[in-house]
Amino acid sequence: MSGGKVPKIPLEKQVRMAVNGDEAVAYAAKHSLVDVVAAYPITPQTIIVEKFSEFVADGEVHTEFVPVESEHSAMSAVVGAAAAGARAFTATASQGLALMWEILYIASSLRLPIVLAVANRALSAPINIHCDHSDAMGMRDASWVQLFVENTQEAYDTTIQAFKIAEDPEVLLPVAVNLDGFVLSHTLEDIYMLPEEEVHKFLGGYRKVTGKTYVDYLGKEVEVKLDPANPLSFGPLDLYDYYFEHKVPQIKALEKAKEVVKRVNEEWYELTGRRYGDGVIDAWGVEDADIIVTVLGSTAGTVRHVARQLRKEGVKVGVLRIRLYRPFPFEEVANAIKGAKVVGVMDRALSFGSFGPSYLDISAALYGLKERPLLVNYVYGLGGRDVPPSLVRRMFEELIKVKEEGEVKEPLKLLGVRE
Amino acid sequence: MSEGKAQNPYRLLIFEPGRKYESPLILNPRKLAEEKQSMLLPGHRLCAGCAAPVVVKLLSFAIRGPTIVVNATGCLEVATTIFPYTSWAVPWLHVAFENAASAASGVEAAIKALKKSGRLPYDHVDVVAIGGDGGTFDIGFQALSGMAERGHDIMYVLYDNEAYMNTGIQRSGGTPPFAWTTTSPVGKVIPGKTQQKKPIADIMVAHRIPYVATASPAFWADAVQKFRKGLEVNGPSFIHVISSCNRGWRFDTSLSIEVTRRAVDTCYFPLWEYVLGKGYFLTARSLQIARKPELKQPIEKFLEVQGRFRHLLKPENRELVKKLQEYVDAVWEDLLERAVNAPR
Ligand SMILES: Cc1ncc(C[n+]2csc(CCOP(=O)(O)OP(=O)(O)O)c2C)c(N)n1
Ligand code: SF4
Ligand SMILES: [Mg+2]
C-alpha cells in the first residue's frame, strides 16, 4: 500500500472485518457475482466452500452451488458452467488440485475464464495438511495465470482481480489465486472489503462473454459459448494438422496476461488505495542491494522483516516477492535483481531431480545478461515446516558469505531441514 | 423439427432467443422425416453401419427445444468433430472421458443461475449428456452417480457398444460374459470375458432418480418416447441404449439394427422403463414376450451373427452357451418379477 493519491473509495467507506484467508476468498467470490461454484472439501481450503454454502443457504447470492463428488468433477463442472457463459469459481488444495490436473489443461485450452483458489498444501505421501507450494507447482505448465498472495487482504483483493484478469478479452484464461495453507487460510486478519456494489461495478456486473469467433457454418461472428441460437462445438478432436497452430493464440494470451495483471493492479489501486508492487513483482530495497532474496507467498513478510533488521545493521539487502508466477515475469524479475551480487531464490517446492521451480525460471531470466548475480536456491518449508526469522537470517548470512567468497559451492540448499 | 428447423444450408438447429418452443412428439415415420432432423449432420466419420449416430438421431426426434449436448470421449465424440469440421447441429461440449456427467452438471447449474438472474433468453434449455459404456459403467461412473445424487435436471444417454471401441475394442464393465475383446481375448484356457455385465440401469434405478429406461434402435418408436420422457421429468434421467458396433462385435454392416433387435428378442437386452414411485414397466417387444413367452428367442440367435461370440458356437463350448442362457434367463426372470405390468 502506498500513499499519495486518494482512492475512489476511501478506507472509511470500505468495510472492515476480521476474517481468515479462506473467508476473505469466499467473500470476494460472493462480491464478484459468481454464477456457479462447484467445489469439494479439502483442508485447508474447506472454509471457502463452507462459507460460500452459508451465503447460498441464507439466500444472499444467486449462485448455483454444486457440491460435487470429487475435485475432478469440480473442475469439470466449472468448465461446463463457464462454457455455458457463467462466471464460475472453485477452490481446492493439494490432493484435490492433483486430482483436477487432467481438466486444468482443458479449462485453459478451451479458454474459459474460471477462477480457482488454492490454499497451498503439501502433496502426499506422506499425507500432510500443511503449507508448501508443491500443489501449485504441479500446474505451472497448464497455461493458467498463477498469482501468489502474501496476506489475507491480498487474498480478498486478488480473488476479485482474478475475475477481471480472466475475463479480459485479450486473456480469456483461467486464473489461480494461491494463498498459503493455514498461514493465510486459517489466520484471522483485519481486512478492508469493498461495498458489494463497488465490486460489481469494478467487474462490469455479471460476466459478459467477450470471446468472439467467426464461424463458417453460421456465416457470422458469434460469442464463444454454448448457445442454442449459435450452435458451436467445444472440445473437438484436433490432430497434427491444426493442434500446434491452436496453441499459438493460447501462448500469446498467456503472455498478454502479464500486462493485464499490471493494469488491473493499478485500477484496483485507484479504486481502493491498495496495490501490490507493479502487480507482477513486489520489490523491497532491491535498487542498491548487494544481496536479494526472491520469494513467493506469505514468507515474504518474514523475509522483509529480517531484511529490515539487516539494513539497520548496514547490510545492503533487498527482497523480491514474485506475485505473478505464470506467466513468469522474466523481464521484471531480471531488472529487479540484476544489480545484486548474490541472489537467494526461495522455493517452497522442489522439482525432484532438479531445483526449486522458481530457481529454474530465475536462472532463465538471468541467462541472457552479460553479468549475472550468483544464484543459490533455498528449498524451504516443505510440509509446513516453520520458517522463523532466525532461519531466514541464517540464509542471509550464508548469502553474505557467498558474496565474500565470490562463488557458489552448493547451488541447492534445503533450508530448515534437520541434519 | 418444425420450429427449430434451420433455414440454412447446413441445417443447423437454431433456436431464436425469446421464442417459445413447443415440439410435439411425432411417431409417424413419414411426418417425422418431413418435420424433424438429426442433431448429427451427415459427414461424420463413424464407421458405416455404426449404431451410435442412429441413437443420436432417435434422440434428436425427441428434443423439445433448445438443447445442449455434453459428450464423453469415445467413438461418437471423436468421429463427429474432427477439426475443422463438426457434425453437431446443436451446441455441443466435450471435456474429457470420465466427466460428461459432471461437465453437464456445470452446464445445467449455469443455466439455472442465468435464469435466476434474468439472463437466460429461453424458457428452458435441456441438457443431455452422452457417454459410451466405458465412459459410463467404468471411468465415468463416479461422476454419473454424483450427478444423479445431486438431482441435476440432465438426461444421461448411454450408448452401449459393450467395449472401449475408440481405443480398439477393449473390455469394459459393459462387456457381456464370454465376449471376445482385445483385452479379453479368447485364448487356449480363457474363453473371452469371464465376468458379468454390470447392471448399470438397475444401479441407476437404485439412485431413485425420476426416470430410467433401456432402449434399442431396432424399436425406434419406443426409444424416441423414452428419450422424450427422460427430457420431460424434472431431475436426472438415464437411458441405456444398446448400440451395435460392427467393428467390435464382428458382424456385417447391414446387420447393425438386426443385431439390436435380436438383443431384445432373446431377452439379452430387455426393454423397460422405471418411473419413480410407480416401478418397472416392460415395454414394446419385451412386454409382448412377457405376455407370450414362446416369442422369446434362444440366446444363440443373438450370438450367431457376431464374430465376438464365434468361439461359443463350437461344440466344445456348448456348456458356456448354456451358462450364458442361464444368466440371461435369470436376469429376465428377475425383471419379470419386478415389472408392474408383467402378467402374473
Ligand atoms: C482418462 C482417460 N483414459 C483413457 C482414455 C483413452 N480412451 C479414449 S476413448 C476410450 C474408450 C471409450 O470407450 P467407450 O466409453 O465405451 O466409448 P466407445 O468408443 O466405445 O464408443 C478410451 C479408453 C482417455 N481419453 N482418457
Ligand atoms: S468402432 Fe464401432 S462404435 Fe466406433 S464408430 Fe466404428 S462401429 Fe461405431
Ligand atoms: Mg463402448
Side-chain angles (χ1 to χ4, degrees), chain A residues 102, chain B residues 73-76 97-98 132-135 139 159 161 163-167:
Chain A
E102 181 198 23
Chain B
T73 311
C75 273
L76 179 64
F97 186 20
E98 65 279 57
D133 49 295
I139 198 167
Y159 72 102
N161 51 30
Y164 298 133
M165 295 311 179
N166 186 53
T167 35

